[in-house]
Amino acid sequence: MRIAVPREIKDNEFRVAITPSGVDALVGAGHTVVVESGAGLGSSISDEEYAAAGAELVADPARVWGDAELILKVKEPILPEYGYFRPGLVIFTYLHLAADPELTRALVDSGVTAIAYETVQLPNRQLPLLAPMSEVAGRLAPIVGAATMMKPAGGPGLLVPGVPGTRPADVVIIGGGVAGSNAITTAVGLGATVTVLDTNINRLRELDDLYQGRIRTIASNPFEIDRTVTEADLVVGAVLIPGAKAPKLVGNELVSRMRPGSVLVDIAIDQGGCFADSHPTTHTAPTFPVHGSIFYCVANMPGAVAQTSTYALTNATLPYIRAIAGVGWQRALAADPALALGLNVHAGSVVNAPVAEAHGLPSGNLAEALAIAA
């Protein structure tokens, strides 16, 4: 199979979809791997390293896309890339279509086959291709929150751990899943006073046992969210419904009662965000004010630490890429129910129910899509 890796063009997106070791594995299996020149530089991977692993380097993005059977990306395609879509092309990347009607329509209209990393789901409900970036975003959230709380960034001038004789920051984390639990790790390490809310009491028991009283665990409901958020210096939103829009848990009126200069970091922004006033921002302009608070809603947070993110992502995606390249996407998805759940769009139809529901579109049948293609 001819596999192509374009350079990411989203604002300050420095990740790349595969490492040289991944290229080596695919070339060793008999596939052709084309990498756009400079695609890995943001992740500290040179063209020479890709070439040494067996990749073909191509400078023209139109050629990279045009000759490919399978496109590997990190972030969802953006408008300048829509023109490369065509029937028969398979795209494997993060898509987050529930929050992106324009991209959904472009994929449907083009006849492309689009498989989303974030909706690949194991029988135990784990999301193996979302998890590594959730880990990165979770650990990064308290760090960017701490930086935003500094006075030059518009914050209250509060040092997260404080110093002897002063109070540490109150950090509230909504959601105790992969992103939330990693946010807890960093926030505790920074010396904050940490509160985590989740609707899953068993998960709260696990976190309580893990941290042995170092954090507060609270059953999540509107009353408790209101009470904890109004007392917080930093709120991390880490709530996810696989494939669907994130629920809005912190409203505008609640933000108006928060401490002046408080910071809200919305990890769920790729899925529409879990704060009512959230809208996607970029690393170039990451924050915006709401009442007296500051929102940080960068939609590609892990791109800021691209070297770590790229290697973590390839570790997770490579087995699935090898399966798709080895037997074709139809057979690979038919053989692996977890990977089959990644299929979002095929042959002009949305086949992921939460995405279809988010946009009021009819939902195609996954089994029929695989059967028709087989």
Side-chain angles (χ1 to χ4, degrees), residues 23-57:
V23 170
D24 179 75
L26 293 171
V27 171
H31 306 293
T32 299
V33 181
V34 177
V35 176
E36 185 176 345
S37 301
L41 295 180
S43 296
S44 302
I45 304 172
S46 67
D47 287 350
E48 290 74 20
E49 289 176 89
Y50 281 120
E56 176 186 335
L57 277 298

Side-chain angles (χ1 to χ4, degrees), residues 150-195:
M150 296 182 186
K151 202 64 179 179
L158 182 66
L159 180 65
V160 169
V163 295
T166 71
R167 72 173 183 88
D170 288 311
V171 176
V172 171
I173 298 166
I174 305 176
V178 175
S181 60
N182 278 273
I184 294 168
T185 297
T186 300
V188 169
L190 289 173
T193 298
V194 179
T195 300

Side-chain angles (χ1 to χ4, degrees), residues 17-338:
I18 201 165
T19 61
S21 62
V23 170
D24 179 75
L26 293 171
V27 171
H31 306 293
T32 299
V33 181
V34 177
V35 176
E36 185 176 345
S37 301
L41 295 180
S43 296
S44 302
I45 304 172
S46 67
D47 287 350
E48 290 74 20
E49 289 176 89
Y50 281 120
E56 176 186 335
L57 277 298
V58 173
D60 181 9
R63 274 191 57 206
V64 174
W65 283 82
D67 296 337
E69 297 172 86
L70 172 63
I71 288 285
L72 302 179
K73 281 178 52 59
V74 178
K75 287 303 293 177
E76 71 283 349
I78 60 176
L79 185 60
E81 296 169 311
Y82 292 1
Y84 300 133
F85 297 169
R86 66 181 192 278
L89 179 65
V90 180
I91 301 175
F92 194 27
T93 186
Y94 289 115
L95 289 171
H96 300 289
L97 294 182
D100 197 336
E102 291 79 13
L103 175 57
T104 303
R105 176 52 58 191
L107 292 170
V108 168
D109 289 346
S110 69
V112 75
T113 295
I115 306 169
Y117 294 156
E118 74 275 4
T119 61
V120 174
Q121 187 169 12
L122 300 174
N124 63 3
R125 300 185 61 81
Q126 290 182 355
L127 305 171
L129 305 188
L130 186 61
M133 295 304 95
S134 294
E135 290 168 346
V136 172
R139 295 192 181 203
L140 194 56
I143 295 173
V144 299
T148 305
M149 281 196 289
M150 296 182 186
K151 202 64 179 179
L158 182 66
L159 180 65
V160 169
V163 295
T166 71
R167 72 173 183 88
D170 288 311
V171 176
V172 171
I173 298 166
I174 305 176
V178 175
S181 60
N182 278 273
I184 294 168
T185 297
T186 300
V188 169
L190 289 173
T193 298
V194 179
T195 300
V196 59
L197 298 100
D198 199 284
T199 56
N200 186 333
I201 301 301
N202 287 331
R203 181 58 183 153
L204 294 179
R205 288 193 181 102
E206 292 170 356
L207 292 169
D208 180 73
D209 183 61
L210 179 64
Y211 287 96
Q212 294 291 299
R214 179 64 183 81
I215 66 173
R216 293 192 303 165
T217 59
I218 297 178
S220 184
N221 56 59
F223 178 88
E224 294 293 357
I225 289 174
D226 188 294
R227 185 176 64 83
T228 55
V229 165
T230 53
E231 298 172 353
D233 300 298
L234 169 62
V235 179
V236 176
V239 177
L240 173 72
I241 300 174
K245 283 189 174 181
K248 300 294 186 182
L249 300 179
V250 177
N252 178 274
E253 190 276 332
L254 175 53
V255 173
S256 73
R257 293 185 278 112
M258 292 181 67
R259 291 172 174 169
S262 55
V263 174
L264 298 94
V265 177
D266 199 340
I267 298 176
I269 191 61
D270 277 325
Q271 295 294 120
C274 57
F275 308 143
D277 290 290
S278 291
H279 63 75
T281 61
T282 66
H283 290 291
T284 300
T287 64
F288 59 91
V290 176
H291 298 297
S293 298
I294 305 168
F295 278 50
Y296 180 103
C297 301
V298 174
N300 58 329
M301 285 177 63
V305 286
Q307 186 173 157
T308 297
S309 298
T310 289
Y311 282 87
L313 182 60
T314 298
N315 290 342
T317 58
L318 186 58
Y320 295 98
I321 295 167
R322 296 182 69 169
I324 292 170
V327 298
W329 74 268
Q330 301 99 327
R331 290 187 178 89
L333 270 61
D336 186 346

Side-chain angles (χ1 to χ4, degrees), residues 97 100-101 104-105 108 345 348-364:
L97 294 182
D100 197 336
T104 303
R105 176 52 58 191
V108 168
V345 176
S349 176
V350 175
V351 294
N352 178 280
V355 171
E357 182 180 353
H359 301 306
L361 297 172
S363 178

